[in-house]
Every structure is written in structure tokens, then in C-alpha cells.
Amino acid sequence: MEQNAKKVTSPSKGLLQSEDLYQYILETSVYPREPDFLKELRHVTASHPRARMATAPDAGQLMALLLKLANAKKTIELGVFTGYSLLLTALTIPEDGKIIAIDVNRETFEIGLPVIKKAGVADKIDFIESEALPVLDQLLQNPENEGSFDFAFIDADSVNYWNYHERLMKLLKIWKQERELAIELNKSFAADPRIQISHASLGDGITICRRIY
């Protein structure tokens, strides 16, 4: 099926200049783990004249990992198109998770909506047909929304990215690492003979562990 899909999908939107290498990555590590509902939505989208606007499946794979690492439950998405990244998020977050999805075009969202409903995750999504900035401003009028979102995904008009950033900075949670906890945890790591460790002085510090036995 993927061999046929290659003929109708657009080339990589990413930095790779080799289509063969990109297809190798997709077929080796992305397509085999892509959920069936996402695969179906990708195929539905492939025949759309603006199919290149869809989230690339390799980017989606990274996004799913980030959602899990953040333990995301409440998310916001600016720019939906046919809903590949939206469906991915809905499949990844917990059963009681919620997504506010904003796009100016409901028509393209409805292309993917049957697949989203088939996947059983439509109840997690609050789709709003609108420009994003007015919705963000309205959300910020309620103080309870400040710092309440776990994750944001933006794939909308690039001229407004900074405006989106400024508003999302207020809506997203602040993730803090308590210094005392980090110190004690690193002490425990250092004393654990089962792992090889390295403390990298990047940002506020990264501890890398490799299990030995």
C-alpha cells in the first residue's frame, strides 16, 4: 500500500534533499508504527491539491513522542487542515484529554472528520472555525486558562507565529525541575552500579543514563 501511496504524495517537506533517503526513513521506522487510522487519513489527504500542507508522518512520529514525554492531556492546535496532527494528538493523549483545534477552514477539517470519528476520538476535539488570534485572546480573558495547557502545535500562517507565541506563553504550563530533587536524583544515579551516566552541561542540565545490566 505504501508503495502506491508514494506515487500520490508530495516529496519530503523537510531538510532531506534525497527522496530515496526520505522514503527509506518512512518505510523503515515511520510507516510500520503508524496507527491504521492515521494511515487512512494520510491516504485520504494525498489526493487533495494542497496535500503538502498536511503534517508529514515522520514529524507526526516525533510529535507523538513529545506528547508522551510531556504527559500532555490538554492541548491546543493552530492550523488543522485535514486533521492528521489533530488525530495523532487525540490518539496519543489520555481518554479524558481535550484539544482545542482552530482553523479558518472547516471544509478541509471535514475531509478527515469521518476517520477521526471512526477512530473514536472526536469527543476529545473542540474544533473552532476562526482566525486563531481572536480565539487565543478570548481564552486569555478567562484567568483559569492561563498556564492550563500542556502542549501547543502551530501549523498556521507564519506571519503571525510571534503573535501566537506571545499568547501561548501565557496559556502553556511552566514545567519546573526542583533543584533539590534533581540533586538527590543525580546522587542516586551516580551510586547505581547498573547504569553508566554522563551529566551534560546543556541548558539546565541533562543526565544521560545507559543500563549496563
Side-chain angles (χ1 to χ4, degrees):
M1 179 178 284
E2 299 304 340
Q3 293 296 325
N4 294 331
K6 282 195 296 180
K7 299 181 187 305
V8 294
T9 53
S10 300
S12 166
K13 297 196 299 180
L15 298 176
L16 289 177
Q17 297 301 307
S18 168
E19 183 66 17
D20 288 340
L21 177 56
Y22 183 57
Q23 290 301 327
Y24 168 79
I25 292 171
L26 292 176
E27 292 166 11
T28 302
S29 63
V30 179
Y31 290 155
R33 297 191 176 200
E34 184 182 36
D36 289 339
F37 291 117
L38 285 176
K39 199 182 303 291
E40 181 179 352
L41 181 50
R42 177 164 54 81
H43 291 160
V44 168
T45 304
S47 59
H48 192 281
R50 290 181 290 148
R52 282 183 62 88
M53 291 178 60
T55 301
D58 51 328
Q61 186 180 60
L62 173 61
M63 184 175 168
L65 178 61
L66 293 174
L67 284 162
K68 285 293 188 182
L69 289 173
N71 292 317
K73 182 176 179 181
K74 182 180 179 183
T75 77
I76 187 166
E77 181 162 333
L78 313 184
V80 173
F81 192 44
T82 61
Y84 185 92
S85 57
L86 182 59
L87 175 57
L88 180 146
T89 301
L91 290 170
T92 305
I93 62 177
E95 288 299 318
D96 58 344
K98 294 295 179 184
I99 310 163
I100 292 180
I102 308 167
D103 198 291
V104 295
N105 190 343
R106 185 177 182 88
E107 184 178 343
T108 52
F109 165 65
E110 289 183 345
I111 293 173
L113 187 56
V115 183
I116 292 172
K117 290 181 176 179
K118 189 191 300 187
V121 293
D123 59 331
K124 296 182 182 182
I125 298 167
D126 177 14
F127 178 84
I128 302 172
E129 185 178 17
S130 171
E131 298 283 350
L133 289 177
V135 177
L136 296 176
D137 288 336
Q138 185 177 6
L139 288 171
L140 286 169
Q141 289 178 9
N142 183 351
E144 292 184 1
N145 286 325
E146 293 192 20
S148 68
F149 287 85
D150 303 303
F151 190 91
F153 179 68
I154 308 172
D155 193 6
D157 54 318
S158 57
V159 295
N160 270 312
Y161 270 27
W162 184 256
N163 293 322
Y164 298 149
H165 170 77
E166 287 294 334
R167 288 157 175 80
L168 290 170
M169 285 292 289
K170 299 174 183 177
L171 290 169
L172 288 168
K173 289 180 179 177
I174 299 173
W175 292 94
K176 295 182 178 179
Q177 180 186 44
E178 297 296 337
R179 183 174 182 273
E180 294 78 9
L181 177 61
I183 291 173
E184 291 305 314
L185 185 61
N186 283 327
K187 286 181 179 178
S188 298
F189 285 157
D192 191 339
R194 298 170 298 176
I195 58 174
Q196 178 181 5
I197 67 169
S198 175
H199 297 302
S201 56
L202 300 173
D204 57 358
I206 298 175
T207 303
I208 303 168
C209 304
R210 182 178 76 92
R211 182 174 177 177
I212 301 173
Y213 64 87

